[in-house]
Amino acid sequence: MNGARHLHFKSVTYSGQAAGVRLIVTGAVHGNETCGSVAIARVMAEIDSGVVRLSAGSVTFVPVANPLAYEQGQRAGQRNLNRKLFPSAQPREFEDHVANWLCPLLGAHDVLLDLHSFGAPGQPFVLVGPRDNAGPLEPFAQSAPERALARRLGVRRFVDGWLAAYGTGVARRMADSTPEQRAEQLRYGVGTTEYMRSQGGYALTLECGQHRDPAAPEVAYQAILRALAFLGLCDTPAPAPIEAAQIEALTLVAVHDRQSAQDQFTRPWVSFDAVSRGQAIGLRADGSALVAEHDARILFPDAQAGVGHEWFYLACANPNFEYSRP
């Protein structure tokens, strides 16, 4: 952790006089994604000045979750904080120290709103968790309130299936490994929202827009205010839900890794570009084409991905997506 000892962690909690939901809002989990930090500072100023009045429950703001990455203006400091997010008995990298501070803080709350942005131009979207289930991958029992909150954040594109898609990639990547090795690699897919759900809460990742889009901080700001109102933390009327007919629902179905530094995309893809089944998305180092398995949308294409890391995801339209009752 050399070079980072001057950094500290900061959270600010506001509590109303009545009992209620405990919300936590995080920004800059990735240091170059600052729209959440800007929005959090704006909402805190409005609470301090009395423009926003907290009447029940509590809200904790973490303006900068990863101060090293934030200081450097990079996605990560020494590693991706939003992977393998667990407390560590023997912290080595800076993000291990962040996790030792952040994980107990998450566990002390009921709901997480994690504010992010993305590299290429595009419209905001929200990542939601799985349906209720008792399975071994990501057991969950709060999909109804989670998806009800998602419908109040002001965005119209929903994506689910993150950890399941990541798990298929782990299985393919480590086909010859032991179950213990695959389980350890699967832990790498756990970030803020997955950890929050593992602690009994529910959580949403809101991707507010492109990193430098001047509208992204406004998306984040409005989402915080909408969450406060919907969860009953302030006296503002609760926002109406986005109608199901207005929502584009997608489920992540596959992830492909970059296998060589010579792997190249066939074009400069951006998230939510449409591809047809059989269409070439990239070329492997040996010249073979990597084609889409489905009619789908590309998500999180990363032309700079490291070898052995996620190169892109595919998401398919989900006509059976469960939105929860309004």
Side-chain angles (χ1 to χ4, degrees):
M1 206 180 82
N2 291 340
R5 295 189 181 279
H6 64 290
L7 298 172
H8 61 269
F9 308 128
K10 175 183 176 180
S11 65
V12 178
T13 299
Y14 298 88
S15 298
Q17 295 186 35
V21 172
R22 298 168 298 174
L23 170 67
I24 181 169
V25 183
T26 50
V29 165
H30 296 133
N32 61 340
E33 301 178 16
T34 59
C35 61
S37 305
V38 173
I40 287 170
R42 182 177 172 187
V43 175
M44 287 174 56
E46 292 186 352
I47 294 175
D48 290 339
S49 67
V51 173
V52 174
R53 297 183 182 275
L54 208 68
S55 56
S58 67
V59 57
T60 296
F61 293 108
V62 179
V64 177
N66 191 337
L68 178 60
Y70 183 82
E71 181 180 71
Q72 296 173 343
Q74 299 177 354
R75 179 175 173 83
Q78 295 177 342
R79 69 168 176 86
N80 188 344
L81 177 62
N82 219 22
R83 300 288 187 275
K84 200 176 179 180
L85 185 69
F86 294 99
S88 173
Q90 296 180 316
R92 293 180 298 176
E93 296 164 310
F94 178 76
E95 281 77 5
D96 296 335
H97 293 274
V98 179
N100 283 349
W101 166 74
L102 183 60
C103 287
L105 190 61
L106 292 174
H109 291 79
D110 304 311
V111 184
L112 165 66
L113 177 60
D114 192 16
L115 301 168
H116 287 253
S117 58
F118 44 85
Q123 73 181 65
F125 63 97
V126 59
L127 286 160
V128 303
R131 298 178 181 180
D132 289 349
N133 72 96
L137 181 65
E138 193 177 11
F140 192 44
Q142 297 204 63
S143 65
E146 183 178 278
R147 296 181 182 208
L149 174 60
R151 293 180 64 181
R152 269 72 178 188
L153 297 183
V155 301
R156 300 176 184 274
R157 182 174 272 164
F158 287 32
V159 179
D160 72 350
W162 152 254
L163 198 56
Y166 183 84
T168 63
V170 169
R172 182 175 60 245
R173 187 185 308 134
M174 305 186 70
D176 298 326
S177 62
T178 66
E180 291 76 15
Q181 289 171 325
R182 290 194 292 273
E184 178 61 23
Q185 181 65 24
L186 189 57
R187 283 168 60 90
Y188 188 74
V190 173
T192 54
T193 52
E194 292 78 23
Y195 184 82
M196 187 72 181
R197 294 184 194 110
S198 77
Q199 301 302 297
Y202 61 92
L204 296 167
T205 295
L206 180 63
E207 297 279 356
C208 301
Q210 198 272 341
H211 297 326
R212 297 180 181 83
D213 186 344
E218 180 68 20
V219 171
Y221 167 77
Q222 292 295 337
I224 297 172
L225 295 184
R226 286 169 170 267
L228 291 173
F230 177 66
L231 296 172
L233 274 64
C234 61
D235 295 331
T236 307
I242 299 292
E243 294 297 328
Q246 298 177 305
I247 295 172
E248 180 185 15
L250 298 163
T251 294
L252 291 164
V253 295
V255 58
H256 292 278
D257 296 338
R258 198 175 190 194
Q259 297 177 353
S260 165
Q262 282 69 53
D263 289 352
Q264 300 294 326
F265 285 129
T266 57
R267 51 167 278 193
W269 299 104
V270 299
S271 280
F272 299 101
D273 276 346
V275 293
S276 300
R277 182 178 180 180
Q279 181 177 352
I281 297 172
L283 297 175
R284 294 297 192 187
D286 63 3
S288 62
L290 179 57
V291 302
E293 306 102 305
H294 315 273
D295 292 338
R297 301 289 188 96
I298 287 184
L299 261 71
F300 310 124
D302 184 1
Q304 305 303 317
V307 174
H309 291 269
E310 305 112 283
W311 197 18
F312 65 91
Y313 286 78
L314 290 179
C316 291
N318 184 355
N320 299 315
F321 191 90
E322 293 181 359
Y323 300 101
S324 82
R325 289 190 296 271

